[in-house]
Amino acid sequence: MKLVTAVIKPFKLDDVREALSEIGVQGITVTEVKGFGRQKGHTELYRGAEYVVDFLPKVKIEVAIAESSLDQVIEAIAKAANTGKIGDGKIFVTSLEQAIRIRTGETGEDAI
């Protein structure tokens, strides 16, 4: 099993959710986060005063999947979240040792 974590632009969330739904992903976890990468934030003008926005709003999506669907999930997220501009985000893949469905006690891939 794998845990796919993607940090994307907030307005791309619906596109990514639909793309994952189309390939059969049944559940995702979404968190509103703030951060920055290479762009290191940007400067904005507010009421005539300049200020630096260090942390940009992003959305973190976490998906627990069977290893067999990993390539499909990565491709769906990358395609749906891509704008071609700086700050599109990142996808991280980590091994998932165990998953347990609390309600039924199912474990492993049966739980996801």
Side-chain angles (χ1 to χ4, degrees), residues 5-8 13 29-33 58-62:
T5 304
V7 179
I8 63 169
L13 177 60
T29 300
V30 177
T31 311
E32 291 181 9
V33 296
K58 300 286 183 183
V59 171
K60 180 167 81 169
I61 300 169
E62 295 172 301

Side-chain angles (χ1 to χ4, degrees), residues 37-105:
R38 287 186 192 158
Q39 68 208 48
K40 306 266 193 292
H42 63 275
T43 305
E44 287 190 5
L45 204 60
Y46 179 71
R47 294 190 177 181
E50 249 187 32
Y51 68 100
V52 177
V53 179
D54 289 332
F55 297 101
L56 302 172
K58 300 286 183 183
V59 171
K60 180 167 81 169
I61 300 169
E62 295 172 301
V63 186
I65 55 164
E67 198 161 343
S68 59
S69 57
L70 178 62
D71 292 337
Q72 259 189 315
V73 168
I74 290 171
E75 186 180 333
I77 294 171
K79 203 178 278 186
N82 185 22
T83 66
K85 297 191 170 97
I86 193 165
D88 274 352
K90 298 264 190 312
I91 300 172
F92 305 101
V93 180
T94 54
S95 291
L96 190 58
E97 289 186 32
Q98 183 64 285
I100 300 148
R101 185 184 308 266
I102 295 172
R103 179 177 55 87
T104 62

